[in-house]
Amino acid sequence: MKWFKRILLMILAVSLIALLSVYLVNRHIHSVSDAKIRTSITEIPVEEPPPVAIVFGARVWDSGEASPVLYDRVLTAVELYRAGRVKKLLMSGDNPTANYDEPTAMKKTAMQLGVPENDSVLDFAGRRTYDTCYRAKEIFDVKKAILVTQEFHLARALYLCNNLGVESVGITANRRIYEGSGNWTFREFFSVASAWFEINFLPFEPVKGEKEPIQQ
């Protein structure tokens, strides 16, 4: 039984060290990102040329309509557009099948809210936050951006985009209490560590493609 206890203690020790490492990485990423988070449009100055709003994808219902999380992201981006803080919206999300299409749902929502069709640019390969940030820089030639997503996701998005060459600040799209938000926070704890690992050690292989520059 002694060998079993030793193995159990070793497993426990390794697990605690791993959790502590993940916690410290989260502290680091929040420390470098939190100062770039805005909660109101009035905190974002009007610039010339204006930055691009990068809107991160989220769940779309079977009907093709945006979920509350996604709708609030698009609505926040539209308000930036109306206030003259941005002139283009980069809608980046997943489109794995013909029946599931986040970017098109995002564009449709923006148009319903008054954004002209030509001012929404679609990225159908935003499978992950890393993809969205990488492609914003390498495919769409975005140099400066305002990231639009909920608060729980913003620190990771800002860390990735700034480290992948897009000078970014973020605005929170929190407008209600979301079902399942506790699960997102738990998952994000580990996703932040994964983002740090990908930037510093093993870059994620994103979807590449032809250049489609957005004029800023």
Side-chain angles (χ1 to χ4, degrees):
M1 291 295 292
K2 287 185 177 179
W3 63 267
F4 177 75
K5 288 182 179 178
R6 288 197 189 102
I7 292 173
L8 195 61
L9 286 171
M10 287 177 61
I11 292 172
L12 181 60
V14 169
S15 298
L16 288 173
I17 291 169
L19 281 173
L20 178 60
S21 299
V22 172
Y23 169 76
L24 291 173
V25 166
N26 271 263
R27 284 285 301 271
H28 167 66
I29 288 183
H30 279 277
S31 72
V32 299
S33 298
D34 284 355
K36 298 180 175 68
I37 294 175
R38 310 288 182 260
T39 58
S40 169
I41 291 174
T42 58
E43 298 175 58
I44 299 173
V46 176
E47 297 184 49
E48 192 60 45
V52 171
I54 299 177
V55 191
F56 292 83
R59 187 177 178 185
V60 170
W61 301 131
D62 291 342
S63 64
E65 297 298 313
S67 64
V69 171
L70 186 56
Y71 181 88
D72 289 350
R73 293 179 186 183
V74 175
L75 177 57
T76 302
V78 170
E79 290 180 349
L80 287 170
Y81 179 90
R82 290 172 179 163
R85 268 54 173 188
V86 300
K87 288 188 178 178
K88 295 288 183 180
L89 311 181
L90 176 56
M91 309 295 202
S92 181
D94 204 5
N95 176 213
T97 70
N99 297 320
Y100 187 85
D101 184 347
E102 292 175 2
T104 298
M106 296 158 79
K107 180 178 181 178
K108 176 183 174 183
T109 302
M111 290 176 64
Q112 290 170 344
L113 293 169
V115 176
E117 182 176 5
N118 290 340
D119 286 338
S120 291
V121 179
L122 305 190
D123 175 16
F124 294 97
R127 303 172 302 173
R128 301 171 72 239
T129 305
Y130 190 106
D131 277 296
T132 294
C133 293
Y134 174 90
R135 288 174 57 81
K137 178 67 167 63
E138 300 299 330
I139 303 299
F140 298 98
D141 200 28
V142 175
K143 298 174 178 65
K144 197 168 187 178
I146 300 172
L147 311 187
V148 186
T149 185
Q150 275 73 21
E151 185 177 9
F152 79 92
H153 179 221
L154 259 180
R156 175 163 60 102
L158 283 162
Y159 180 77
L160 285 168
C161 279
N162 279 292
N163 277 281
L164 290 169
V166 181
E167 182 185 345
S168 306
V169 297
I171 186 166
T172 58
N174 296 59
R175 292 173 175 269
R176 65 187 93 186
I177 296 173
Y178 302 101
E179 183 179 351
S181 57
N183 294 331
W184 303 339
T185 302
F186 177 78
R187 186 182 68 179
E188 192 66 15
F189 179 70
F190 295 98
S191 295
V192 165
S194 175
W196 178 84
F197 187 81
E198 289 168 349
I199 289 294
N200 292 284
F201 295 103
L202 187 64
F204 179 75
E205 184 60 32
V207 178
K208 299 177 182 177
E210 297 293 324
K211 288 271 191 182
E212 302 175 43
I214 297 174
Q215 297 300 320
Q216 289 188 254

